[in-house]
Amino acid sequence: MMGRKRDILIAALILLALWQAAALLLDSMALPQPWIVLVDIGSRIADGSLLDDLAISTFRALCGIGLALAAAVPLGLAVGAEASLGRRLSPFIYLLYPIPHVVLLPLIIILFGIGNFSKIFLIALIVFFQILVTTRDAARTIHRNYFHAMQTLGATRLQIYRHVILPASLPKILTALRISIGTAVAILFFVESFATTTGLGYIIMDSWGRADYVALYTGISCMALLGFALYLLLDRLERRLCAWTRSN
């Protein structure tokens, strides 16, 4: 664990060094030096302005991911484990999954307004299909002999889901969730780039429009740190829930 933390720290320092070198070589106001951005982040945290935007962006991302997870996992397990249900619903998934759902944002805003719900709903909608398809495929790959063994022991269908299907599918579900974090943060930027005055996405677009490049990189850096923090949180969760998948 300590070695892994050390490697992450070294990688972060290398990236900062490359940023510093690029800023010195280009000598452009469009690429400020990292220490200037870090000072700006510290000052914004001190006056509380950045914390409010960071909190609302974190809330939107977590709610969107949580909503998608709560809907996609049960449905994906059922579609993957129940052959008859899979035959009925798989065509709908096949048709709906490839649609670029991000284009639905104007329609979602018309239906639900410009508040938090429309932003959370779009994040959940896009992440939902990523988790659903992976969960379905994970449940499909479980050998049916495990089901038969549980049934001979008198297990109910719910117990089979609890003790066989969900644990066997959990590693792939968490992998899908890991991928979905990057997607959720990207969509978060998109939904916060207009029809709002709060969030990290708003900071990025507003500072870009004002040519305030330090604030622009502050927003970008904070959004990257948000994604990284969610990734670390999921990694810790995976270590607890799927300890058997790790060799060390």
Side-chain angles (χ1 to χ4, degrees):
M1 178 66 72
M2 291 301 297
R4 184 168 177 270
K5 291 181 178 179
R6 183 189 65 246
D7 292 342
I8 292 174
L9 178 60
I10 291 173
L13 292 175
I14 291 174
L15 290 175
L16 286 174
L18 292 173
W19 181 358
Q20 176 70 28
L24 292 175
L25 287 174
L26 293 177
D27 191 23
S28 170
M29 61 183 300
L31 184 60
Q33 297 181 42
W35 68 268
I36 298 176
V37 176
L38 291 175
V39 169
D40 186 61
I41 291 174
S43 64
R44 288 172 179 265
I45 290 176
D47 63 25
S49 59
L50 182 60
L51 292 178
D52 293 338
D53 290 301
L54 181 58
I56 190 63
S57 291
T58 303
F59 171 77
R60 289 166 176 165
L62 288 177
C63 287
I65 294 171
L67 183 61
L69 193 65
V73 170
L75 182 59
L77 293 176
V79 171
E82 309 293 340
S84 60
L85 185 63
R87 284 193 299 270
R88 293 186 179 94
L89 295 184
S90 288
F92 294 97
I93 298 173
Y94 184 83
L95 290 173
L96 294 175
Y97 179 63
I99 295 175
H101 301 96
V102 70
V103 302
L104 299 176
L105 180 59
L107 178 60
I108 291 172
I109 290 178
I110 292 173
L111 293 174
F112 302 114
I114 61 174
N116 281 330
F117 182 76
S118 60
K119 299 171 177 58
I120 292 170
F121 183 80
L122 183 63
I123 294 172
L125 179 64
I126 295 174
V127 172
F128 168 81
F129 282 97
Q130 292 182 339
I131 299 175
L132 173 65
V133 171
T134 303
T135 304
R136 179 201 62 185
D137 294 344
R140 276 181 177 176
T141 59
I142 302 173
H143 202 286
R144 291 308 186 260
N145 285 345
Y146 293 112
F147 300 172
H148 301 327
M150 289 290 290
Q151 288 171 342
T152 58
L153 295 174
T156 64
R157 198 63 180 169
L158 182 60
Q159 289 172 328
I160 293 175
Y161 272 97
R162 178 182 177 185
H163 297 291
V164 177
I165 300 175
L166 179 58
S169 304
L170 191 56
K172 290 185 178 179
I173 293 173
L174 292 176
T175 298
L177 188 57
R178 189 189 304 276
I179 297 171
S180 298
I181 286 175
T183 303
V185 174
I187 299 303
L188 176 68
F189 164 71
F190 179 75
V191 298
E192 289 184 341
S193 62
F194 61 91
T196 186
T197 57
T198 57
L200 297 175
Y202 169 75
I203 290 179
I204 294 172
M205 296 303 294
D206 179 64
S207 56
W208 180 36
R210 294 184 291 104
D212 185 351
Y213 296 111
V214 174
L216 173 66
Y217 280 90
T218 292
I220 293 173
S221 300
C222 288
M223 187 158 281
L225 289 174
L226 172 60
F228 181 64
L230 293 177
Y231 195 89
L232 286 181
L233 181 64
L234 179 60
D235 189 62
R236 182 175 293 272
L237 183 64
E238 184 179 10
R239 287 177 178 272
R240 287 183 175 272
L241 296 179
C242 303
W244 71 88
T245 62
R246 296 183 177 271
S247 58
N248 52 11

